[in-house]
């Protein structure tokens, strides 16, 4: 059975309920809560491993991969294949493949270098507005990866939506292992529909990695002013942080912190 929200998000596996989740246990925020008060809350959407150390290690590995590919092209292949015609038949396609991989690796390198330390979502329950601080690193690996310029690595997109128009979907991808079996990864995608319809006009990533939907339940209860069972623990301060900080535009920052619709409309 397909999603009732169409067009359907990639790798969709189920629609999530949007209601107040009542439970005797605290609803965990999975240590993703950056800030919360009676007006608004802010959740981290940073992927695990994209902290300072993780990024630096990944960038070093990317550089080493580029060097190894270059070394194979210019040193190993010409030395192994002595026949000039066969050499060209191997060398030219290898160069084309190298250029393709280099494009992807360089793109990832720049996105890791220039992406901010986090890509938060801010939800204001007094105004019913949701604000997304988006960077393409969250969507790296999608089809847009193969057409997007690496020189847009600094680009930040900030979007504002109505909470009433947002629904949740779980998506899942399975990857086979060489030793047998599969590894399955999960993510929660939020779809934005036209008001009072199920027609999807936009979507964004809420969280990835865990098969649970704790963050989705937490946010639903918070937006409904049902705070009794919410885990209020904030995400831990990182020992190492990336130098590029989250910088909300001034107008959006004020709107997202408004205590009422009247205050919001005056901004």
């Amino acid at each position: 059975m397909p999603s009732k929200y169409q067009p359907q998000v990639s790798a969709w596996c189920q629609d999530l309920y949007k209601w107040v989740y009542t439970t005797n246990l605290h609803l965990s925020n999975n240590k993703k809560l950056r800030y919360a008060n009676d007006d608004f809350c802010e959740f981290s959407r940073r992927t695990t491993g994209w902290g300072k150390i993780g990024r630096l290690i990944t960038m070093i590995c990317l550089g080493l991969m580029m060097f190894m590919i270059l070394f194979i092209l210019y040193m190993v292949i010409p030395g192994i294949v002595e026949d000039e015609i066969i050499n060209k038949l191997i060398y030219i396609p290898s160069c084309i493949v190298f250029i393709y991989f280099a494009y992807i690796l360089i793109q990832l390198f720049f996105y890791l270098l220039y992406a901010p330390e986090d890509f938060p979502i801010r939800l204001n329950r007094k105004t019913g507005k949701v604000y997304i601080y988006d960077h393409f690193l969250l969507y790296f690996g999608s089809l847009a990866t193969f057409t997007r310029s690496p020189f847009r690595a600094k680009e930040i997109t900030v979007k504002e939506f109505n909470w009433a128009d947002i629904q949740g979907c779980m998506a899942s991808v399975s990857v086979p292992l060489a030793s047998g079996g599969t590894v399955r990864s999960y993510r929660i995608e939020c779809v934005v529909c036209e008001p009072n319809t199920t027609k999807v006009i936009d979507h964004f990533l809420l969280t990835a990695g865990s098969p649970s939907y704790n963050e989705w339940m937490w946010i639903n209860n918070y937006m409904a002013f049902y705070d009794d069972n919410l885990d209020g623990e904030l995400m831990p301060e990182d020992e190492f942080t990336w130098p590029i900080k989250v910088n909300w535009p001034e107008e959006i920052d004020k709107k997202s912190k408004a205590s009422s619709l009247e205050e919001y409309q005056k901004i």
Side-chain angles (χ1 to χ4, degrees), residues 11-72:
W12 173 91
C13 64
Q14 73 175 103
D15 293 331
L16 302 180
Y17 293 107
K18 188 177 182 182
W19 58 21
V20 173
Y21 292 83
T22 57
T23 173
N24 293 327
L25 300 175
H26 278 322
L27 287 177
S28 172
N29 60 57
N30 284 339
K31 297 183 179 180
K32 292 293 188 71
L33 184 64
R34 289 171 57 96
Y35 181 81
N37 62 21
D38 193 49
D39 297 329
F40 73 95
C41 70
E42 185 171 297
F43 263 77
S44 168
R45 295 190 300 149
R46 187 177 66 189
T47 306
T48 303
W50 282 158
K52 183 175 182 179
I53 301 301
R55 288 198 202 193
L56 289 175
I57 292 173
T58 305
M59 290 164 65
I60 291 171
C61 290
L62 290 174
L64 291 174
M65 287 175 64
M66 292 281 291
F67 176 78
M68 287 177 62
I69 294 173
L70 203 60
F71 177 77
I72 291 171

Side-chain angles (χ1 to χ4, degrees), residues 77-88:
I77 293 178
I80 294 176
V81 183
E82 296 180 357
D83 187 281
E84 186 176 346
I85 297 176
I86 298 177
N87 190 308
K88 288 182 179 179

Side-chain angles (χ1 to χ4, degrees), residues 107-127:
Q107 190 169 205
L108 179 55
F109 182 90
F110 276 110
Y111 284 131
L112 286 170
L113 181 64
Y114 290 112
E117 63 177 355
D118 205 341
F119 325 101
I121 174 174
R122 189 175 284 182
L123 305 103
N124 189 312
R125 62 183 180 181
K126 296 290 183 65
T127 62

Side-chain angles (χ1 to χ4, degrees), residues 168-203:
C169 297
M170 180 74 78
S172 174
V173 176
S174 296
V175 179
L177 299 175
S179 58
T182 59
V183 173
R184 184 175 290 272
S185 64
Y186 296 86
R187 69 180 188 273
I188 295 178
E189 293 267 1
C190 288
V191 295
V192 184
C193 300
E194 289 185 354
N196 303 314
T197 73
T198 57
K199 181 181 179 181
V200 176
I201 56 175
D202 206 342
H203 68 94

